[in-house]
């Protein structure tokens, strides 16, 4: 059992080291509505605006394989609560009683993130995390008393030095512009211990108007979360040399190991590796050095492909999944041809792949389809 555990750990570490890695810095804000517990079910105190929660945050996000990641950070929280005793205000129109609570505290947080890739490098993000709030000295406790006519009320607020809670997020991270990306999501934070408690008592000459209430604030809120990310470190997935003996028997295909000759037979068609090639799309690249990303554009059904650029294999015997595979390539002056060669057709023919060609200035995304007789291709012109 110990040997199996060590083997699994070694395999997980090896896969992690080969995967794509990204490190980004983050700046963001949360704006939400506090949710508190009232002893009298808000029969006495009625929360009114401006009641809000505002967090200003900075942090780091670390992603592995664009599927899982970790986000940690620290922030400044501003929580404003306002409650009104409407009964007291009606009895004494000349004096409106208001209980206010506005406090600032430091928040530290960390969350595990799960990503659902979308086209054009967008992603849905699901986060589950832990938050710790630090208010500071308990001298923030205060008592307020108000008198209006024959009515009197007092409010006592007691702050704890710290509390903790848990939060969850569901959001959308938009297409990066260069090295940056914008995120918007819905956040729910639930406090696990009190942050502030307040007791309220009203008295008067008439015993029938004597009453009290209490509010418990745990830092719970529901709100909108905005974040801006700037990527500071990126490492592409490490491609291992293909090993034909590891390819399942039913998927093995004979593949030419020598560079295939490219020859034109019609204006828009060629022959590569013995198959007719249909050049269906074209683009212009500004730089000779490009990064080519490829992944399965549709259902993951066991498609296996090769990429051939100007008659030379730049990728062979590669199974396609939803995870992007990155390959760096060099273009020649003039026209270049990127061919998708299908080793098989997977479970659902034809073999379909999504491809992004990034020349460092612009990213062009296309979709190529190939079968065992015809290969789809992209014409890339290197020019100004």
């Amino acid at each position: 059992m110990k040997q199996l555990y060590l083997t699994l750990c070694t395999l997980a570490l090896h896969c992690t080291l080969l995967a794509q890695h990204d490190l980004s810095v983050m700046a963001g804000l949360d704006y939400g509505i506090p949710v508190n517990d009232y002893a009298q079910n808000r029969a006495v105190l009625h929360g009114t605006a401006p009641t809000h929660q505002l967090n200003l945050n900075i942090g780091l996000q670390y992603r592995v394989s664009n599927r899982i990641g970790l986000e940690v950070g620290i922030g400044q929280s501003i929580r404003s609560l306002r409650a009104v005793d409407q009964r007291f205000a009606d009895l004494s129109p000349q004096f409106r009683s208001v209980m206010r609570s506005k406090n600032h505290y430091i928040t530290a947080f960390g969350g595990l993130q799960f990503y659902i890739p979308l086209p054009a490098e967008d992603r849905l993000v699901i986060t589950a995390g832990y938050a710790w709030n630090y208010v500071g000295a308990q001298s923030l406790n205060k008592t307020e008393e108000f008198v209006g006519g024959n009515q009197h009320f007092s409010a006592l607020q007691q702050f704890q030095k710290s509390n903790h809670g848990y939060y969850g997020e569901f959001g959308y991270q938009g297409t990066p512009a260069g090295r940056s990306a914008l995120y918007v999501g819905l956040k729910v934070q639930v406090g696990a211990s009190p942050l502030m408690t307040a007791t309220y008592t009203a008295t008067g000459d008439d015993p029938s108007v004597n009453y009290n209430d209490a509010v418990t604030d745990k830092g719970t809120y529901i709100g909108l979360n905005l974040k801006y990310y700037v990527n500071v470190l990126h490492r592409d997935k490490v491609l291992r040399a293909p090993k034909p003996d590891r390819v399942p028997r039913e998927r093995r295909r004979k593949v030419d190991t020598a560079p295939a000759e490219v020859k034109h037979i019609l204006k828009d068609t060629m022959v590569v590796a013995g198959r007719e090639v249909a050049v269906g799309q074209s683009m212009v690249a500004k730089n000779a050095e490009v990064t080519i990303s490829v992944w399965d554009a549709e259902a993951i059904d066991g498609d296996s492909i090769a990429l051939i650029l100007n008659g030379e294999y730049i990728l062979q015997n590669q199974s396609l999944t939803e995870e992007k595979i990155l390959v760096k390539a060099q273009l020649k002056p003039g026209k270049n041809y990127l061919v998708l060669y299908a080793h098989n057709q997977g479970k659902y023919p034809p073999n379909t792949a999504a491809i992004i060609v990034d020349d460092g200035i612009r990213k062009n995304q296309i979709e190529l389809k190939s079968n065992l007789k015809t290969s789809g291709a992209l014409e890339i012109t290197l020019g100004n």
Side-chain angles (χ1 to χ4, degrees):
M1 182 60 70
K2 181 178 180 180
Q3 184 63 34
L4 177 61
Y5 175 75
L6 291 176
T7 301
L8 292 175
C9 290
T10 302
L11 181 61
L13 178 61
H14 183 63
C15 293
T16 300
L17 293 176
L18 292 176
Q20 174 184 321
H21 295 260
D22 288 277
L23 178 66
S24 301
V25 296
M26 177 273 292
L29 64 86
D30 307 342
Y31 185 83
I33 301 174
V35 179
N36 301 308
D37 298 328
Y38 291 83
Q40 302 298 326
N41 196 27
R42 300 183 65 161
V44 175
L45 297 176
H46 302 274
T48 60
T51 297
H52 63 264
Q53 170 87 24
L54 176 64
N55 298 336
L56 304 175
N57 305 316
I58 56 174
L60 295 173
Q61 181 193 64
Y62 182 68
R63 301 197 309 272
V64 179
S65 291
N66 204 26
R67 300 294 296 184
I68 190 171
L70 178 67
E71 184 174 78
V72 296
I74 191 169
Q76 172 71 64
S77 297
I78 304 172
R79 192 172 178 91
S80 176
L81 305 177
R82 180 180 178 185
V84 177
D85 178 359
Q86 192 62 49
R87 185 190 304 181
F88 184 79
D90 292 341
L91 292 174
S92 305
Q94 73 279 12
F95 185 85
R96 183 176 179 84
S97 62
V98 179
M99 184 176 71
R100 291 185 178 90
S101 170
K102 186 174 184 179
N103 52 81
H104 301 70
Y105 52 89
I106 301 297
T107 298
F109 60 90
L112 189 63
Q113 296 185 317
F114 302 91
Y115 311 114
I116 303 174
L118 299 174
E121 298 190 17
D122 296 357
R123 61 183 67 89
L124 297 177
V125 185
I126 301 172
T127 306
Y130 173 86
W132 180 74
N133 303 312
Y134 179 73
V135 177
Q138 291 184 348
S139 60
L140 292 174
N141 299 345
K142 63 179 181 178
T143 301
E144 296 180 293
E145 295 189 3
F146 298 92
V147 177
N150 295 325
Q151 289 293 117
H152 171 272
F153 88 82
S154 63
L156 171 63
Q157 298 179 13
Q158 295 179 305
F159 293 89
Q160 303 301 314
K161 294 186 71 171
S162 65
N163 89 318
H164 69 279
Y166 306 92
Y167 69 91
E169 291 183 32
F170 180 77
Y172 169 82
Q173 187 166 322
T175 304
R179 296 190 307 168
S180 62
L182 184 64
Y183 168 93
V184 58
L186 179 66
K187 181 174 182 178
V188 178
Q189 180 163 312
V190 179
S193 60
L195 182 67
M196 185 273 290
T197 57
T199 56
Y200 172 84
T201 304
T203 60
D205 294 340
D206 185 353
S208 64
V209 297
N210 296 342
Y211 48 88
N212 56 71
D213 201 354
V215 179
T216 300
D217 178 8
K218 295 183 177 181
T220 300
Y221 69 94
I222 301 173
L224 185 67
N225 187 223
L226 297 175
K227 301 176 187 177
Y228 185 74
Y229 293 97
V230 176
N231 187 274
V232 295
L233 176 65
H234 173 79
R235 197 192 77 177
D236 292 337
K237 178 180 179 180
V238 179
L239 295 177
R240 294 177 292 182
K243 297 183 179 180
D245 58 326
R246 291 190 177 183
V247 179
R249 184 178 301 275
E250 64 273 12
R251 296 185 189 169
R252 293 179 185 175
R253 302 287 179 183
K254 183 178 179 181
V255 180
D256 295 333
T257 56
E261 180 183 359
V262 179
K263 56 181 181 180
H264 293 271
I265 57 176
L266 288 176
K267 180 179 180 181
D268 295 323
T269 60
M270 304 178 286
V271 171
V272 172
R275 296 181 186 174
E276 183 177 295
V277 177
V279 182
Q281 302 184 58
S282 62
M283 59 164 283
V284 176
K286 301 295 184 180
N287 295 320
E289 184 174 331
V290 297
T291 300
I292 300 173
S293 307
V294 58
W295 70 99
D296 201 328
E298 298 180 357
I300 309 304
D301 60 346
D303 288 342
S304 181
I305 60 102
L307 286 180
I308 304 171
L309 179 63
N310 297 329
E312 295 184 358
Y313 291 100
I314 60 174
L315 196 64
Q316 292 190 62
N317 288 325
Q318 181 63 58
S319 296
L320 295 182
T321 67
E322 74 278 2
E323 184 176 343
K324 293 183 178 65
I325 302 163
L326 279 70
V327 181
K328 293 188 180 297
Q330 193 77 20
L331 302 178
K332 66 179 184 179
K335 295 185 181 299
N336 300 259
Y337 295 93
L338 179 66
V339 179
L340 177 71
Y341 184 94
H343 291 307
N344 63 15
Q345 297 191 89
K347 186 177 180 181
Y348 307 106
N351 193 315
T352 305
I355 294 177
I356 291 179
V357 179
D358 183 359
D359 62 4
I361 299 175
R362 183 171 55 188
K363 297 180 181 179
N364 291 274
Q365 179 171 336
I366 64 160
E367 184 177 284
L368 292 179
K369 296 183 178 181
S370 299
N371 54 43
L372 301 183
K373 294 182 179 180
T374 306
S375 299
L378 168 67
E379 180 184 270
I380 308 173
T381 303
L382 177 60
N384 298 324

